Amino acid sequence: RALLHDQAASSSDALFTGFQLGGRLLALLVGSSSITTNGLWGLYRDPTDKHFDACLTVSAIFLMGSMITVLFFVDDQGSTYTTPGSGCNPTSSSLANAPESQSLQLPPALQNISNYNDESSQTSCSIQSNENMASKKCAFELDASVLLCAVQAIGWVGVCAQSFFWTSWRGEEVGCIDLALQSVVGIITAGLLPLANAYFGAASVWCGSELFFHLLMMSIAFVSGSDERNNHGLASYWISPRIIGVLSGINYAVHATNGLVVATDIIPDPNRRARTIAMVNNALPMGQLLTALSGGAIAQYFGGFEYVFVCYGFLGAMVTCFVWVVSSSQNLFSRQRGVGNEHNQLDSELESLHADGAKAVRNNNRNY
């Protein structure tokens, strides 16, 4: 993702997610094909582990081939960004690199004013740094990054539970078909996602999709694990596990994309792009950890993996609704909010500097 951002690719997050889901679809097709179920053309003969060994071998070969291809054919030279807030005195570097014949010679009075402005600029930078440190120490202000990671982590709990337990609940063959169709829907959603973000807003699409996914997981309480037993559920026949699995592909694409889009709105500085991506991606191992610690216990206590989906869906819906209401009321997930605060602070500091500079000019004029 960071490499795509460096190359300034259009809709880089959605593009990455689309290819990610394409790889997931390919893995499901290969994992359920006769190539791996027969032990990689008879290479593995143990009837218990031959399918697992074949899938692991194919994955390792594909991963090594991909990494070697990237090392040989991708030239990652990085990118250098210049942002308005990246430096306190942006003109100093350009003046230092200018030819000596084009350098600006100032009279002594104006040189004094220039030195005064440089000192004032450095002072304003230290003041801004101190204010940022003070704001970080405030314990009562809701942090948008914490709320974002909370929604992303609880979303990964549901996604990981579906990845871990869906085939155990539905059966290996039927479950792989469900997840393959889920990937197809996710690829289509990733292609349409930039248009939806532009029309509705990335934060609204993200929170709405997360809530829709958790409600889908909760609806599993009304259906049975297989289509043959579905008629005995409390819902009608058309609310089947396959439809639920396929529709969950919508959120798979949105979840893997819009969390990062919203994060870049909160932290718009491109020089911190890799740190922002790492912050959001750290929600994935947190979701895996929570699923691993509690998923098996929930299934064993209630007597089925469907209860894992229902419990995580209920918890996820509560967290997502809370964060959505709070973030909307305080406008936390907005690029304009963070940039507007910085601009207002800079404008007040610039007005103060202009007033001090004008006062210094008047004093120097009196002296001369």
Side-chain angles (χ1 to χ4, degrees), residues 79 202 273 294 304 313:
S79 297
R273 183 71 71 240
S294 59

Side-chain angles (χ1 to χ4, degrees), residues 15 132 205:
L15 181 64
N132 291 336
V205 173

